[in-house]
């Protein structure tokens, strides 16, 4: 009986987490409207990150799309002549987006793709000399091999 109650509780919690509330959807829609109006890539990326924070548990397909959009914007800007602060900003976000994509791939059981994204993230964190980020990327790589 106790096990049944735990099972029902977990199913209910997962159902609640897997649906976006109308308030969240309204926020997401307004953020997308701001992205369409923006001409500044940094602003677009920051808005995409806000959307990502709102939907990563409830809409994995959109989460993947958002992280690839962030990667595309970062890569296109890194081809330009940038100040050090801007270069660091885009590199950090490349690393973060790849960590996110690695986690999504790992959760789906696509371990090769997870390792690919975690290694890309590790590369960016290493270039930035971001030891904490390197530790996160290495820990995530290790977690794939522990499965």
């Amino acid at each position: 009986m106790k096990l049944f109650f735990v099972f029902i509780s977990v199913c209910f919690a997962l159902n609640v987490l897997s649906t976006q509330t109308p308030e969240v959807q309204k926020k997401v829609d307004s953020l997308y409207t701001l992205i369409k109006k923006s001409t500044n890539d940094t602003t677009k990326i920051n808005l995409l990150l806000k959307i990502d924070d709102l939907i990563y548990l409830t809409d994995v397909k959109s989460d993947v799309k958002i992280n690839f959009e962030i990667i595309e914007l970062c890569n296109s800007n890194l081809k330009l002549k940038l100040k050090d602060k801007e270069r660091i900003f885009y590199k950090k976000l490349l690393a973060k987006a790849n960590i996110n994509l690695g986690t999504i791939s790992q959760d789906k059981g696509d371990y090769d793709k997870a390792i690919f994204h975690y290694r890309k993230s590790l590369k960016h964190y290493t270039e930035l000399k971001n030891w904490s980020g390197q530790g996160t990327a290495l820990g995530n790589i290790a977690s794939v091999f522990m499965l």
Side-chain angles (χ1 to χ4, degrees):
M1 184 66 165
K2 208 177 206 183
L3 186 60
F4 177 73
F5 178 72
V6 170
F7 176 75
I8 295 298
S9 298
V10 169
C11 287
F12 177 75
L14 289 174
N15 187 40
V16 168
L17 287 174
S18 68
T19 56
Q20 283 187 18
T21 63
E23 298 86 29
V24 169
Q25 189 59 50
K26 188 174 181 179
K27 286 180 188 177
V28 168
D29 292 342
S30 68
L31 290 168
Y32 272 120
T33 300
L34 292 173
I35 289 170
K36 288 177 186 172
K37 292 179 181 178
S38 178
T39 57
N40 181 291
D41 286 347
T42 302
T43 301
K44 288 179 184 178
I45 290 170
N46 285 323
L47 292 168
L48 286 167
L49 289 170
K50 286 182 182 183
I51 295 170
D52 187 58
D53 287 343
L54 292 169
I55 62 129
Y56 76 97
L57 288 174
T58 59
D59 190 352
V60 175
K61 190 175 181 180
S62 292
D63 191 29
V64 168
K65 182 181 174 207
I66 286 169
N67 281 285
F68 275 116
E69 285 180 56
I70 291 170
I71 288 170
E72 184 179 323
L73 287 167
C74 289
N75 281 330
S76 67
N77 278 281
L78 285 167
K79 292 175 184 173
L80 305 173
K81 186 173 181 172
L82 301 170
K83 296 177 184 173
D84 286 342
K85 186 177 178 181
E86 294 169 315
R87 183 166 298 288
I88 290 168
F89 172 80
Y90 291 118
K91 283 276 190 184
K92 279 183 183 177
L93 290 172
L94 271 175
K96 181 179 179 175
N98 274 292
I99 286 282
N100 291 345
L101 290 169
T103 301
I104 292 166
S105 299
Q106 185 174 354
D107 289 347
K108 289 181 173 181
D110 191 344
Y111 303 119
D112 290 336
K113 195 181 285 185
I115 293 292
F116 172 80
H117 287 294
Y118 290 149
R119 283 186 173 155
K120 280 189 130 183
S121 179
L122 178 61
K123 175 185 170 249
H124 297 301
Y125 282 131
T126 301
E127 289 170 2
L128 291 166
K129 295 184 173 119
N130 182 323
W131 314 129
S132 175
Q134 284 180 304
T136 299
L138 288 168
N140 287 349
I141 291 168
S143 73
V144 171
F145 287 105
M146 293 178 70
L147 296 175

